Amino acid sequence: YVFRNTADTMSETTTPATDYLRQYLPLAIIEKLEAGAFRQLCSHLQDRSDEVQNIDLMTISGFCRNCLAKWLVMEARNMKGLDDSSNIDVKQALDALGYDEAAQYVYGCEYATWKRRHAKKASDEQMQKFNDSKPLWAKHNKEVLATKADKPPIPMKVEPSMASSTGTQIGNASSSLLSNVCCQDIDETPKPQAPPPETKKARTVSPIEIPAPPKDGVSFNIAILTVSDRASANQYETGDLSGPAVEQSIQTTIQSMNDNSVEYKITHKAIVPDNIGEIQTLLRKWSSSDGEDNSVDVIFTTGGTGFAPRDVTPEATLGVLDRECKGLMSYVMTECSLQQPLASLSRGTAGVIGRSMVVNLPGNPKGVGEIIPVLLPLVLHAVKDLQQTE
């Protein structure tokens, strides 16, 4: 294949001392060196997913893992010499390569899964530095990044090539932020190290992929209903903590998606006691079942999902649902219980009233923060379906 001309992408001010590669090596060899360096960079970042956050990469260098994925797509668009009939499948595969596919290569897993496992909430200081670094940020042409074709029906059989000539494999965990070539004396012979003390192996869990937001984007309204006798009677010194925890978790989860196509607005908030009648009144009022124009797309209730005598939120919800969605909360609680077994004790349910989605969350603010990152990406797809016209 004929790739882009590396020489054309170099600065005109490149000095002879830094132009060694182009002076002494064929272009095809330079391309292989570049590809190997790219693989090593992806490997380095994959092994440091917890320690090296995207926001810090953007602040320091103006690019992050997402930029690497987008540059990979850009190279696919710029590749030439594939118009003859023998390369039809390759060209189609390149034209069908989009950000999601490229991100899976760069991250070593689907982007949504990486965020769930490794992304951390940014501090105020990190956000300030991040916003101050905007002049450094890489720019990407969305039109060029858009896919140009459907995926080929049958994937080509390609030999795995995630190892460089040094034999370094992606996925080898590292205990250091330094790369495998940084700050090392090439003449120094590494000293043998004593094996680490044996530790009890932690339980490993097979990852389940969380879907990305709907491709065409989604815009939706949210209502938050806190169900609590004490909160409704204003008996907490701190006030209601459950409702604000839902609001904060929604905001954090959507921000972590790094996807401008997801828009939301919280239009209704209220607190009611653990009373079936009062819960159902607001669920009907906020949903599309009453025929009013003030209906919302998603209603999150928080509280009343346990086993105490007055925990009646699931019963109240089931009493007004048109259609129950048993699989949603079953999946979410199964996922969350892998980290916190007590999550399986939540009796929350989910379903649809008219065109409004209703989801029961626990009243514990910490539990809310663990559930919404798993739940919300799924709810977005349900909302998209409910918004479809006949």
PDB file of all heavy atoms in Angstrom, residues 280-296:
ATOM      1  N   GLN A 280     -47.219   7.626  44.057  1.00  0.00           N
ATOM      2  CA  GLN A 280     -47.905   7.376  42.789  1.00  0.00           C
ATOM      3  C   GLN A 280     -48.469   8.657  42.187  1.00  0.00           C
ATOM      4  O   GLN A 280     -48.482   8.822  40.965  1.00  0.00           O
ATOM      5  CB  GLN A 280     -49.017   6.351  42.997  1.00  0.00           C
ATOM      6  CG  GLN A 280     -48.501   4.953  43.290  1.00  0.00           C
ATOM      7  CD  GLN A 280     -49.621   3.936  43.454  1.00  0.00           C
ATOM      8  OE1 GLN A 280     -50.764   4.302  43.747  1.00  0.00           O
ATOM      9  NE2 GLN A 280     -49.296   2.666  43.268  1.00  0.00           N
ATOM     10  N   THR A 281     -48.907   9.579  43.036  1.00  0.00           N
ATOM     11  CA  THR A 281     -49.432  10.847  42.523  1.00  0.00           C
ATOM     12  C   THR A 281     -48.390  11.591  41.703  1.00  0.00           C
ATOM     13  O   THR A 281     -48.678  12.084  40.602  1.00  0.00           O
ATOM     14  CB  THR A 281     -49.922  11.731  43.689  1.00  0.00           C
ATOM     15  OG1 THR A 281     -51.012  11.089  44.344  1.00  0.00           O
ATOM     16  CG2 THR A 281     -50.378  13.093  43.178  1.00  0.00           C
ATOM     17  N   LEU A 282     -47.176  11.676  42.226  1.00  0.00           N
ATOM     18  CA  LEU A 282     -46.130  12.395  41.494  1.00  0.00           C
ATOM     19  C   LEU A 282     -45.645  11.612  40.283  1.00  0.00           C
ATOM     20  O   LEU A 282     -45.318  12.203  39.247  1.00  0.00           O
ATOM     21  CB  LEU A 282     -44.954  12.709  42.423  1.00  0.00           C
ATOM     22  CG  LEU A 282     -45.127  13.976  43.278  1.00  0.00           C
ATOM     23  CD1 LEU A 282     -43.880  14.243  44.100  1.00  0.00           C
ATOM     24  CD2 LEU A 282     -45.425  15.182  42.402  1.00  0.00           C
ATOM     25  N   LEU A 283     -45.571  10.295  40.383  1.00  0.00           N
ATOM     26  CA  LEU A 283     -45.146   9.507  39.224  1.00  0.00           C
ATOM     27  C   LEU A 283     -46.120   9.711  38.059  1.00  0.00           C
ATOM     28  O   LEU A 283     -45.703   9.854  36.903  1.00  0.00           O
ATOM     29  CB  LEU A 283     -45.065   8.020  39.590  1.00  0.00           C
ATOM     30  CG  LEU A 283     -43.958   7.603  40.568  1.00  0.00           C
ATOM     31  CD1 LEU A 283     -43.977   6.097  40.787  1.00  0.00           C
ATOM     32  CD2 LEU A 283     -42.583   8.037  40.056  1.00  0.00           C
ATOM     33  N   ARG A 284     -47.406   9.730  38.363  1.00  0.00           N
ATOM     34  CA  ARG A 284     -48.392   9.959  37.302  1.00  0.00           C
ATOM     35  C   ARG A 284     -48.301  11.394  36.772  1.00  0.00           C
ATOM     36  O   ARG A 284     -48.412  11.634  35.570  1.00  0.00           O
ATOM     37  CB  ARG A 284     -49.804   9.692  37.838  1.00  0.00           C
ATOM     38  CG  ARG A 284     -50.112   8.224  38.115  1.00  0.00           C
ATOM     39  CD  ARG A 284     -51.617   8.033  38.345  1.00  0.00           C
ATOM     40  NE  ARG A 284     -51.950   6.647  38.668  1.00  0.00           N
ATOM     41  CZ  ARG A 284     -52.156   6.196  39.899  1.00  0.00           C
ATOM     42  NH1 ARG A 284     -52.040   7.034  40.932  1.00  0.00           N
ATOM     43  NH2 ARG A 284     -52.463   4.936  40.111  1.00  0.00           N
ATOM     44  N   LYS A 285     -48.117  12.344  37.684  1.00  0.00           N
ATOM     45  CA  LYS A 285     -48.077  13.747  37.285  1.00  0.00           C
ATOM     46  C   LYS A 285     -46.874  14.045  36.392  1.00  0.00           C
ATOM     47  O   LYS A 285     -46.978  14.793  35.417  1.00  0.00           O
ATOM     48  CB  LYS A 285     -48.039  14.635  38.533  1.00  0.00           C
ATOM     49  CG  LYS A 285     -48.020  16.128  38.229  1.00  0.00           C
ATOM     50  CD  LYS A 285     -48.008  16.934  39.519  1.00  0.00           C
ATOM     51  CE  LYS A 285     -47.960  18.439  39.216  1.00  0.00           C
ATOM     52  NZ  LYS A 285     -47.945  19.241  40.461  1.00  0.00           N
ATOM     53  N   TRP A 286     -45.730  13.466  36.734  1.00  0.00           N
ATOM     54  CA  TRP A 286     -44.511  13.756  35.976  1.00  0.00           C
ATOM     55  C   TRP A 286     -44.385  12.932  34.700  1.00  0.00           C
ATOM     56  O   TRP A 286     -43.654  13.303  33.792  1.00  0.00           O
ATOM     57  CB  TRP A 286     -43.287  13.483  36.854  1.00  0.00           C
ATOM     58  CG  TRP A 286     -43.099  14.491  37.943  1.00  0.00           C
ATOM     59  CD1 TRP A 286     -43.736  15.684  38.087  1.00  0.00           C
ATOM     60  CD2 TRP A 286     -42.206  14.385  39.064  1.00  0.00           C
ATOM     61  NE1 TRP A 286     -43.310  16.329  39.215  1.00  0.00           N
ATOM     62  CE2 TRP A 286     -42.367  15.561  39.835  1.00  0.00           C
ATOM     63  CE3 TRP A 286     -41.307  13.416  39.488  1.00  0.00           C
ATOM     64  CZ2 TRP A 286     -41.644  15.782  40.998  1.00  0.00           C
ATOM     65  CZ3 TRP A 286     -40.576  13.639  40.644  1.00  0.00           C
ATOM     66  CH2 TRP A 286     -40.737  14.808  41.401  1.00  0.00           C
ATOM     67  N   SER A 287     -45.077  11.815  34.647  1.00  0.00           N
ATOM     68  CA  SER A 287     -44.969  10.957  33.466  1.00  0.00           C
ATOM     69  C   SER A 287     -45.896  11.460  32.380  1.00  0.00           C
ATOM     70  O   SER A 287     -46.661  12.411  32.564  1.00  0.00           O
ATOM     71  CB  SER A 287     -45.323   9.510  33.824  1.00  0.00           C
ATOM     72  OG  SER A 287     -46.714   9.408  34.092  1.00  0.00           O
ATOM     73  N   SER A 288     -45.835  10.798  31.226  1.00  0.00           N
ATOM     74  CA  SER A 288     -46.667  11.191  30.095  1.00  0.00           C
ATOM     75  C   SER A 288     -48.055  10.580  30.162  1.00  0.00           C
ATOM     76  O   SER A 288     -48.857  10.728  29.247  1.00  0.00           O
ATOM     77  CB  SER A 288     -45.996  10.773  28.786  1.00  0.00           C
ATOM     78  OG  SER A 288     -45.797   9.368  28.761  1.00  0.00           O
ATOM     79  N   SER A 289     -48.386   9.902  31.276  1.00  0.00           N
ATOM     80  CA  SER A 289     -49.665   9.204  31.353  1.00  0.00           C
ATOM     81  C   SER A 289     -50.843  10.149  31.523  1.00  0.00           C
ATOM     82  O   SER A 289     -51.982   9.798  31.205  1.00  0.00           O
ATOM     83  CB  SER A 289     -49.648   8.200  32.511  1.00  0.00           C
ATOM     84  OG  SER A 289     -49.499   8.880  33.743  1.00  0.00           O
ATOM     85  N   ASP A 290     -50.597  11.380  32.036  1.00  0.00           N
ATOM     86  CA  ASP A 290     -51.720  12.282  32.266  1.00  0.00           C
ATOM     87  C   ASP A 290     -52.027  13.155  31.070  1.00  0.00           C
ATOM     88  O   ASP A 290     -52.941  13.982  31.119  1.00  0.00           O
ATOM     89  CB  ASP A 290     -51.454  13.158  33.507  1.00  0.00           C
ATOM     90  CG  ASP A 290     -50.210  14.035  33.341  1.00  0.00           C
ATOM     91  OD1 ASP A 290     -49.582  13.970  32.264  1.00  0.00           O
ATOM     92  OD2 ASP A 290     -49.895  14.784  34.279  1.00  0.00           O
ATOM     93  N   GLY A 291     -51.252  13.008  30.000  1.00  0.00           N
ATOM     94  CA  GLY A 291     -51.509  13.761  28.779  1.00  0.00           C
ATOM     95  C   GLY A 291     -51.051  15.202  28.825  1.00  0.00           C
ATOM     96  O   GLY A 291     -51.278  15.964  27.885  1.00  0.00           O
ATOM     97  N   GLU A 292     -50.385  15.613  29.921  1.00  0.00           N
ATOM     98  CA  GLU A 292     -49.905  16.984  30.019  1.00  0.00           C
ATOM     99  C   GLU A 292     -48.581  17.152  29.277  1.00  0.00           C
ATOM    100  O   GLU A 292     -47.881  16.192  28.988  1.00  0.00           O
ATOM    101  CB  GLU A 292     -49.730  17.366  31.492  1.00  0.00           C
ATOM    102  CG  GLU A 292     -51.023  17.326  32.305  1.00  0.00           C
ATOM    103  CD  GLU A 292     -52.013  18.380  31.872  1.00  0.00           C
ATOM    104  OE1 GLU A 292     -51.585  19.426  31.365  1.00  0.00           O
ATOM    105  OE2 GLU A 292     -53.226  18.151  32.039  1.00  0.00           O
ATOM    106  N   ASP A 293     -48.245  18.412  28.987  1.00  0.00           N
ATOM    107  CA  ASP A 293     -47.017  18.699  28.239  1.00  0.00           C
ATOM    108  C   ASP A 293     -45.786  18.762  29.134  1.00  0.00           C
ATOM    109  O   ASP A 293     -44.679  18.923  28.649  1.00  0.00           O
ATOM    110  CB  ASP A 293     -47.150  20.031  27.481  1.00  0.00           C
ATOM    111  CG  ASP A 293     -48.203  19.957  26.386  1.00  0.00           C
ATOM    112  OD1 ASP A 293     -48.431  18.844  25.887  1.00  0.00           O
ATOM    113  OD2 ASP A 293     -48.770  21.015  26.061  1.00  0.00           O
ATOM    114  N   ASN A 294     -45.978  18.692  30.467  1.00  0.00           N
ATOM    115  CA  ASN A 294     -44.842  18.838  31.378  1.00  0.00           C
ATOM    116  C   ASN A 294     -44.213  17.503  31.733  1.00  0.00           C
ATOM    117  O   ASN A 294     -43.500  17.379  32.719  1.00  0.00           O
ATOM    118  CB  ASN A 294     -45.289  19.552  32.655  1.00  0.00           C
ATOM    119  CG  ASN A 294     -46.314  18.732  33.446  1.00  0.00           C
ATOM    120  OD1 ASN A 294     -46.886  17.781  32.914  1.00  0.00           O
ATOM    121  ND2 ASN A 294     -46.541  19.123  34.692  1.00  0.00           N
ATOM    122  N   SER A 295     -44.481  16.453  30.951  1.00  0.00           N
ATOM    123  CA  SER A 295     -43.945  15.130  31.262  1.00  0.00           C
ATOM    124  C   SER A 295     -42.446  15.096  31.049  1.00  0.00           C
ATOM    125  O   SER A 295     -41.886  15.877  30.278  1.00  0.00           O
ATOM    126  CB  SER A 295     -44.621  14.066  30.387  1.00  0.00           C
ATOM    127  OG  SER A 295     -44.335  14.294  29.024  1.00  0.00           O
ATOM    128  N   VAL A 296     -41.789  14.181  31.748  1.00  0.00           N
ATOM    129  CA  VAL A 296     -40.342  14.028  31.638  1.00  0.00           C
ATOM    130  C   VAL A 296     -40.021  12.674  31.019  1.00  0.00           C
ATOM    131  O   VAL A 296     -40.864  11.784  30.950  1.00  0.00           O
ATOM    132  CB  VAL A 296     -39.654  14.159  33.016  1.00  0.00           C
ATOM    133  CG1 VAL A 296     -39.901  15.525  33.612  1.00  0.00           C
ATOM    134  CG2 VAL A 296     -40.143  13.077  33.963  1.00  0.00           C
TER     135      VAL A 296
END
